[in-house]
Amino acid sequence: MRPHWKIINIVICSFGFSFASTMQFANLSTILQFMGFHDQYLSLIWLIAPLTGIISQPIIGIISDNLETSYGKRLPIFFTSSLLATVALLVLPFYNSVLFVISMILFLEIGTNGNNQLQKVLILELLPKKQHTLAFSLSTAISGIGALLAAIIPFILVKIFNITNLVTHNHLPPPSLQYGFTISAIIYFCFCLWTIIGTKEKNKKFEKKKQTLIMLFHFNNILKRLPRVFWEISIIQFFTWIAVFTVWNYLTLAIAQNIFHLPIHESNNLEVAKSYLSIAILWAGIYYGAFQISSTLFSLFIPILNRFFSMFVIYFISLFIGGISLLFIVVIHNPYIMIVPMLFYGFVWGAVLTCPYDIISNSIPDNYSGLYMGIFNLTVTIPQIVAGLFLGYLLSKVFYDQAINLILIAGICLLLSALIILVVIKLQSK
């Protein structure tokens, strides 16, 4: 197999991951609102994702490190995760039972996050180190294309295929979202299957690999063995992912209030809010589409920029620009002008999916790629848990349901992350 096809087969599944994840990120809060959840409780429901990840991702890494099958170590688990997430996408928007929806969100998170983790492990194990930056950036670019299409799917279904964007059943999202989730399930599974069929793992057995299982019960020892760069990136990731999580949760509501003038005091009155939210859904798709266009283009330039700048410098530039863009969103009330800061915010996503993984890739032991990548992914889930515990309180008790103030907090967090990168760069130069 030619080297470029080997890379493409491994990273192509990013299209499916991102398509599914964008449908979730852009629309889950709105689905929950249609089900009757108050705004201040949305971030608590979103805690399902990071809480699932903090448990499942290290376990998935450990199991895949120790699995021996004729199909490889990672791919059988990859296939199982794909099935879980596909089922969740197919049925999530069609039922209004709280317990059922929570279960489907849990399945979706185990599936998409598990696959995303395993794909990065496949990059580390199956490609030479000199191709890691290219593979991570290409994965991010393909991810951006998938997310772009997912973001505009509701708009296409409404404007081109005349699928109604109005609520037809109480406590269920409009048919445009229901069809959108069905399409995302099909696309997600097909692209995951492409990676499974097109990727051949090395049939390689490691001696002492049972040590990985022993390490699970000695977590303190694992943490002591982590290289310094893990801790440096962890601090940066903490504030970055608080910002990203906040935007996921409350951007659509902020759009409804700040641009389409949903009365603040009526935000939790579904009868009044649903018409504003329906408009905000369509425009949020356009904004997420703009965000993904810039994310894709920026990620493609990262390997070129890396020839002249360190990955930390690229990371700093992207987070700084993203933070400034969120501050601009706070003062924008025109739906068309809103596209501009969203284009610049896309730099954040391009960097977040590429820079930290490339930076730590040389610090991960070959024999324990799954375990270490699972541990590193805790730097993504823990800040989301912290944010989820406090965002609802801030929204209702401090900001009196004005969601745009949470976007302001997100911008400040990104600027703080950028400042921490400067400190790390200075410490490394000594």
Side-chain angles (χ1 to χ4, degrees), residues 222-261:
I222 300 174
L223 297 180
K224 290 177 182 178
R225 296 184 186 184
L226 292 177
R228 175 179 168 179
V229 70
F230 263 66
W231 298 108
E232 293 172 342
I233 295 294
S234 296
I235 300 172
I236 298 166
Q237 292 267 85
F238 182 81
F239 293 102
T240 301
W241 276 96
I242 285 179
V244 171
F245 185 80
T246 302
V247 172
W248 284 346
N249 273 258
Y250 290 106
L251 180 63
T252 301
L253 179 59
I255 291 167
Q257 293 176 345
N258 213 43
I259 294 181
F260 298 108
H261 310 296

Side-chain angles (χ1 to χ4, degrees), residues 35-274:
M35 289 180 61
F37 283 91
H38 283 200
D39 299 339
Q40 63 264 34
Y41 300 129
L42 294 181
S43 60
L44 294 178
I45 299 297
W46 274 86
L47 279 177
I48 297 170
L51 285 172
T52 302
I54 206 169
I55 298 171
S56 66
Q57 290 178 0
I59 292 175
I60 287 174
I62 289 169
I63 293 174
S64 67
D65 279 341
N66 289 272
L67 189 66
E68 289 183 15
T69 75
S70 57
Y71 299 102
K73 297 165 57 177
R74 319 292 178 183
L75 294 179
I77 304 174
F78 193 100
F79 179 73
T80 304
S81 298
S82 302
L83 287 178
L84 277 178
T86 301
V87 170
L89 288 165
L90 284 172
V91 300
L92 177 60
F94 291 94
Y95 295 89
N96 61 9
S97 163
V98 174
L99 183 60
F100 182 85
V101 168
I102 289 175
S103 299
M104 290 304 101
I105 295 173
L106 191 148
F107 284 176
L108 183 58
E109 294 306 320
I110 292 175
T112 55
N113 288 334
N115 281 0
N116 195 22
Q117 172 185 341
L118 291 170
Q119 184 220 40
K120 290 177 173 60
V121 174
L122 290 172
I123 289 173
L124 296 179
E125 290 186 341
L126 303 184
L127 299 176
K129 289 184 178 180
K130 64 181 180 181
Q131 292 182 346
H132 287 176
T133 301
L134 174 61
F136 285 127
S137 62
L138 185 59
S139 174
T140 303
I142 291 173
S143 173
I145 297 171
L148 169 61
L149 294 177
I152 62 175
I153 276 292
F155 186 87
I156 292 173
L157 290 173
V158 171
K159 299 299 182 180
I160 298 179
F161 293 98
N162 296 318
I163 305 297
T164 181
N165 193 44
L166 301 176
V167 176
T168 56
H169 295 88
N170 287 335
H171 302 301
L172 286 179
S176 58
L177 281 187
Q178 293 176 328
Y179 280 104
F181 269 77
T182 302
I183 292 169
S184 70
I186 296 169
I187 289 176
Y188 171 82
F189 187 73
C190 288
F191 278 88
C192 286
L193 203 59
W194 182 338
T195 291
I196 292 168
I197 294 173
T199 303
K200 304 298 180 185
E201 288 193 77
K202 298 174 182 177
N203 292 321
K204 189 175 179 182
K205 295 183 181 180
F206 295 112
E207 294 181 4
K208 302 181 181 179
K209 68 176 184 165
K210 289 185 179 179
Q211 287 181 359
T212 311
L213 290 173
I214 297 172
M215 289 173 72
L216 176 63
F217 301 101
H218 297 84
F219 201 72
N220 287 336
N221 292 334
I222 300 174
L223 297 180
K224 290 177 182 178
R225 296 184 186 184
L226 292 177
R228 175 179 168 179
V229 70
F230 263 66
W231 298 108
E232 293 172 342
I233 295 294
S234 296
I235 300 172
I236 298 166
Q237 292 267 85
F238 182 81
F239 293 102
T240 301
W241 276 96
I242 285 179
V244 171
F245 185 80
T246 302
V247 172
W248 284 346
N249 273 258
Y250 290 106
L251 180 63
T252 301
L253 179 59
I255 291 167
Q257 293 176 345
N258 213 43
I259 294 181
F260 298 108
H261 310 296
L262 166 63
I264 304 297
H265 64 280
E266 298 287 1
S267 295
N268 288 307
N269 184 348
L270 186 58
E271 290 302 313
V272 175
K274 64 183 180 182

Side-chain angles (χ1 to χ4, degrees), residues 246 250-251 253-259 264 326-333 338 395 399 401-411:
T246 302
Y250 290 106
L251 180 63
L253 179 59
I255 291 167
Q257 293 176 345
N258 213 43
I259 294 181
I264 304 297
L326 291 184
L327 298 187
F328 272 104
I329 285 176
V330 175
V331 298
I332 290 175
H333 302 282
M338 175 77 173
L395 179 65
F399 299 134
D401 293 328
Q402 297 182 64
I404 198 65
N405 289 320
L406 293 180
I407 305 302
L408 173 64
I409 295 296

